[in-house]
Amino acid sequence: QVQLVESGGGLVQAGGSLRLSCVASGQSFSRYVVGWVRQRPGKEREVVAATLWSADMTYHRDSVKGRFTISRDNAKNTVYLQMNSLKVEDTAVYFCVAGLRWYGSTWSTTTEGFDAWGQGTQVTVSS
């Protein structure tokens, strides 16, 4: 019942910053895990970050820790991914995702737990 729409992707130079936004409709995020999954060219999809909508708990993939930050605005039904110090290898399609189970560190090797997906937004980082 949740629809997710991403925005904010684009072309940016290495070292730059970008903020992705995801707006939910149909249902609020109050009972959901929400996060971001990306698919880099020639690679499998991977969980970038996730958070609980109703509690202050987050997951960030090791390769983005210290550079990317997931956040949310409950009143606007919006989740964000702030991306700083972007690298060429961050180039990917980024999907906003939501689910009802928390997998935590398991997301380092799987993409389990997400049953609602946005359409994806392209992020391209140039050298």
Side-chain angles (χ1 to χ4, degrees), residues 62-82:
D62 285 347
S63 61
V64 308
K65 284 182 178 177
R67 300 190 298 120
F68 292 9
T69 304
I70 189 170
S71 63
R72 49 179 166 78
D73 186 333
N74 296 46
K76 296 181 179 180
N77 283 344
T78 302
V79 61
Y80 304 96
L81 185 68
Q82 179 66 47

Side-chain angles (χ1 to χ4, degrees), residues 2-125:
V2 174
Q3 291 77 234
L4 305 169
V5 180
E6 306 97 326
S7 63
L11 177 64
V12 64
Q13 291 186 4
S17 297
L18 207 60
R19 187 175 74 163
L20 306 183
S21 299
C22 172
V23 178
S25 61
Q27 290 183 334
S28 73
F29 285 2
S30 61
R31 60 188 176 94
Y32 277 92
V33 176
V34 66
W36 295 89
V37 169
R38 71 182 180 187
Q39 185 163 25
R40 296 182 288 165
K43 299 184 182 295
E44 299 295 321
R45 291 180 176 181
E46 60 187 16
V47 180
V48 177
T51 187
L52 296 174
W53 196 247
S54 59
D56 191 18
M57 180 180 291
T58 61
Y59 165 84
H60 292 85
R61 191 173 194 86
D62 285 347
S63 61
V64 308
K65 284 182 178 177
R67 300 190 298 120
F68 292 9
T69 304
I70 189 170
S71 63
R72 49 179 166 78
D73 186 333
N74 296 46
K76 296 181 179 180
N77 283 344
T78 302
V79 61
Y80 304 96
L81 185 68
Q82 179 66 47
M83 304 184 292
N84 298 327
S85 301
L86 282 161
K87 303 175 180 179
V88 172
E89 50 263 48
D90 294 318
T91 294
V93 177
Y94 285 73
F95 299 90
C96 182
V97 296
L100 295 174
R101 283 181 170 269
W102 183 264
Y103 286 83
S105 60
T106 304
W107 282 319
S108 66
T109 56
T110 74
T111 57
E112 292 291 328
F114 303 111
D115 55 14
W117 291 66
Q119 81 286 353
T121 186
Q122 176 71 46
V123 172
T124 302
V125 184

